[in-house]
Amino acid sequence: MRLVIFGAGGVGSLFGAFLARAGHDVLLVGRKEHVQWIERDGLRVEGVTNMTVRPRVASALRAGERATMVILTVKTYDTENACRTIARAMSSRPILSLQNGLGNLEAMERGLSAGGWTTPRLNVALGVLSWGVTFQGPGHILHAGTGSLVLGDLSGGRAAKRFASLFEGVGIPTQYTDDIVRAIWRKVIINAAANPVTADHRVINEELLNEPLRGQAIALMREALEVSAAEGYPFPEHEIEEELFRVLRQTAQNRSSMLQDVLRGRPTEIEAISGAILERGQRHGLKLPYTERIYRRLKAKQPPTVPSAGKA
Ligand code: KPL
């Protein structure tokens, strides 16, 4: 199958490698340095998976691209621009978001509609991925651990089932859910509790297992839980707390995705995680002092956002 992966960071490159290894015709769209490296030396994956593959690569998407499916793996602040570029280059087809945070669906709909797709929601599938993946440098990805991948459609859509069978066919274990928005909330709460603390203190996940950072993560988790409940997605606190610390133990030696961005001098996804929690909380009149404080601290430190792949 011919596939476009738009956003060749850690996750996009790793999925591209799995698909290319299985014989699919993959086009990875990413930053120039990464693309040039792959053209010269191939894409090297190390860790729990080891391989070097040679997918097709480009730093921009050409008009008239004929791929049958698209996987969107850009950072959340690039979503709308990326989708506008995709919809201008290709006619309507299934597109899967494998991204963090809240608000990707809305940004995808805005971008795809602006690029000319009608009723984009029917073609959009959403995914929640909890794998340990690190972008080590151009052409080089660390696959630290294989966690879960859950996919779902929005009402009326059917794209997620097609992506699920594609992934199963290349050895990526995939589950399907009828309530993908709930699965997204679950992941966002974990990310809102862990990522900003690791990025603010520049520590690996392990440090959050003990005080004083453990307490900070719990305070953020409780505020995110209040917001998700107000939005119609309540979760028992003990269940999420257990999950948070299980994930942190499983990924103890990892740098969170937000810390990786900070260390690379890149903009973080703070807006789509803590910013989105704050915005929704404010709509419900909730006070979220811990989230607000850490959001402001990270916003103050971060560089301005710039499109990272296939610039619109
Ligand atoms: O999902 C994560 C991330 O890094 O974005 C956590 C759960 C913090 C694991 O590293």
Side-chain angles (χ1 to χ4, degrees):
M1 191 172 296
R2 189 171 166 120
L3 302 152
V4 166
I5 301 189
F6 201 96
V11 168
S13 300
L14 183 58
F15 272 62
F18 269 89
L19 290 159
R21 181 176 66 175
H24 290 287
D25 177 359
V26 172
L27 174 66
L28 268 182
V29 183
R31 287 176 187 268
K32 219 176 227 155
E33 238 192 321
H34 187 47
V35 159
Q36 284 170 347
W37 193 289
I38 296 173
E39 267 173 343
R40 203 181 56 232
D41 295 332
L43 171 61
R44 184 157 57 98
V45 176
E46 286 178 331
V48 294
T49 309
N50 287 284
M51 61 175 131
T52 299
V53 289
R54 292 185 172 273
R56 288 188 301 124
V57 281
S59 55
L61 195 58
R62 292 228 182 99
E65 167 58 46
R66 286 176 292 110
T68 35
M69 290 160 105
V70 182
I71 300 171
L72 182 70
T73 44
V74 293
K75 293 285 182 181
T76 48
Y77 47 78
D78 277 343
T79 304
E80 187 172 340
N81 275 341
C83 284
R84 195 180 315 114
T85 303
I86 291 165
R88 282 183 184 151
M90 311 165 66
S91 55
S92 199
R93 63 207 62 209
I95 175 165
L96 167 69
S97 152
L98 283 185
Q99 298 171 283
N100 280 330
L102 296 169
N104 286 308
L105 169 63
E106 294 75 9
M108 286 175 87
E109 285 190 293
R110 284 195 302 273
L112 294 171
S113 302
W117 288 14
T118 46
T119 56
R121 188 172 270 245
L122 295 183
N123 273 311
V124 167
L126 300 173
V128 178
L129 180 75
S130 63
W131 284 24
V133 186
T134 306
F135 187 90
Q136 298 284 64
H140 187 196
I141 306 300
L142 173 68
H143 181 193
T146 303
S148 63
L149 170 61
V150 184
L151 304 186
D153 291 301
L154 301 148
S155 73
R158 287 203 311 259
K161 291 213 167 105
R162 290 184 59 186
F163 283 104
S165 73
L166 172 72
F167 292 153
E168 286 286 346
V170 301
I172 298 174
T174 310
Q175 293 161 269
Y176 180 85
T177 176
D178 287 329
D179 196 350
I180 189 66
V181 180
R182 188 171 175 82
I184 289 172
W185 266 107
R186 224 185 155 92
K187 171 95 190 289
V188 167
I189 296 166
I190 305 285
N191 286 142
N195 295 27
V197 182
T198 59
D200 192 24
H201 294 272
R202 298 185 175 224
V203 293
I204 56 172
N205 293 351
E206 183 179 44
E207 297 291 323
L208 275 55
L209 294 172
N210 301 306
E211 295 300 348
L213 300 188
R214 182 185 178 93
Q216 282 191 29
I218 290 177
L220 291 168
M221 179 200 75
R222 287 192 178 133
E223 291 186 353
L225 277 169
E226 273 186 67
V227 177
S228 68
E231 288 276 296
Y233 294 94
F235 296 94
E237 184 177 316
H238 69 92
E239 191 183 303
I240 299 294
E241 185 170 330
E242 231 175 84
E243 185 170 332
L244 169 63
F245 289 102
R246 182 174 45 75
V247 170
L248 289 172
R249 278 194 303 275
Q250 281 169 349
T251 60
Q253 297 307 311
N254 274 24
R255 291 181 177 144
S256 78
S257 51
M258 203 174 278
L259 175 59
Q260 290 180 44
D261 289 333
V262 166
L263 296 176
R264 291 169 69 203
R266 295 269 166 81
T268 68
E269 296 187 305
I270 189 73
E271 202 59 64
I273 298 175
S274 310
I277 300 267
L278 270 180
E279 192 204 315
R280 284 161 177 76
Q282 273 156 10
R283 275 193 233 147
H284 294 283
L286 296 171
K287 294 245 173 308
L288 309 168
Y290 289 97
T291 307
E292 188 158 356
R293 194 169 329 129
I294 205 149
Y295 167 79
R296 288 192 194 290
R297 285 168 65 86
L298 285 162
K299 283 292 276 189
K301 286 187 206 168
Q302 85 164 357
T305 55
V306 284
S308 61
K311 292 184 183 69

